[in-house]
Amino acid sequence: MKKYNIVIVALFLIFNHVMAVASGSVHLERANNILSDKTSLQKGAILFATRCMSCHSVKYMRYNRVARDLGWTDEEVLKKLGKVNNKVVDNIIGSMSETVAQAAFGTKIPDLSLISRLKGTDYIFSFLRSFELNTTTGKWDNRVFLGVAMPNIMPKPKDEASLEKYDEDVRNIVNFLEYVGEPAKLKRQHLGWKVMLFLFILFILVYLLKREYWKDIKH
Ligand code: HEC
């Protein structure tokens, strides 16, 4: 039996190692964002609009959907996130055109609608916090995205006191991007609890019914 255990542990370790190598073995920090936290999502949406939307879009999302899900009115969502002339039915599109982006960064700017599904929340959290200025080239380096063309948008504060707020800001943005990646998740998780509760009550009723039926039968 012991031998089998050793084999299983060995296989597990090898598998882990292979997975780490396959994923580029970059250590990611945990985002620890809480999707059900509406205040965090609202803050994240506002930070996304002010810090990221000069370049990035989340084109599969509309303003009125955000309003509905995060608890804002149509007027509020436009005031907080929209650009001049935006309507609530518009998709959320960043300000930079493809030609300007190409000229400025030498690459396309990715749409971030599905980035949380594609790379995960821990990745975005770590990516935003891993910019470092390369003193020889004068360009930004990023250990989770080597040779990145994006500048450092969320520079870490130098003083300890501001660090907590900084972490929270980044976490809120990540939270918003997780929501954008799968808006139905909010509802699904909420519904999940109701379904579980329903099943639990149903179980009790069925059990009582069974007892009632079998009461007079010898078995
Ligand atoms: C000044 C323009 C600009 C701003 C502002 C900006 N980005 Fe970017 N971002 C870029 C560019 C350019 C790329 C493409 C990088 C590349 O391909 O090398 C990028 C790429 C990304 C990626 C993709 C990384 C990957 O692995 O594919 C993420 C995630 C991202 N940005 C998040 C953000 C967030 C969140 C904000 C706001 C806090 C933000 N960006 C603000 C220009 C910007």
Side-chain angles (χ1 to χ4, degrees), residues 51-52 54-56 105 110 112 119 123 127 145 149-150 153:
R51 303 280 188 97
C52 318
S54 48
C55 296
H56 291 283
F105 305 108
L112 297 183
K119 302 217 165 164
Y123 173 85
F127 169 72
F145 188 144
M150 176 173 139
I153 301 298

Side-chain angles (χ1 to χ4, degrees), residues 115-161:
I115 193 81
S116 66
R117 304 277 293 273
L118 201 65
K119 302 217 165 164
T121 43
D122 291 348
Y123 173 85
I124 309 170
F125 187 74
S126 308
F127 169 72
L128 290 174
R129 299 156 54 88
S130 298
F131 283 88
E132 253 163 57
L133 196 62
N134 184 327
T135 39
T136 28
T137 59
K139 287 186 178 166
W140 289 105
D141 271 346
N142 192 312
R143 69 175 179 83
V144 300
F145 188 144
L146 301 176
V148 70
M150 176 173 139
N152 186 9
I153 301 298
M154 300 292 292
K156 264 191 204 148
K158 294 271 180 291
D159 58 313
E160 282 288 316

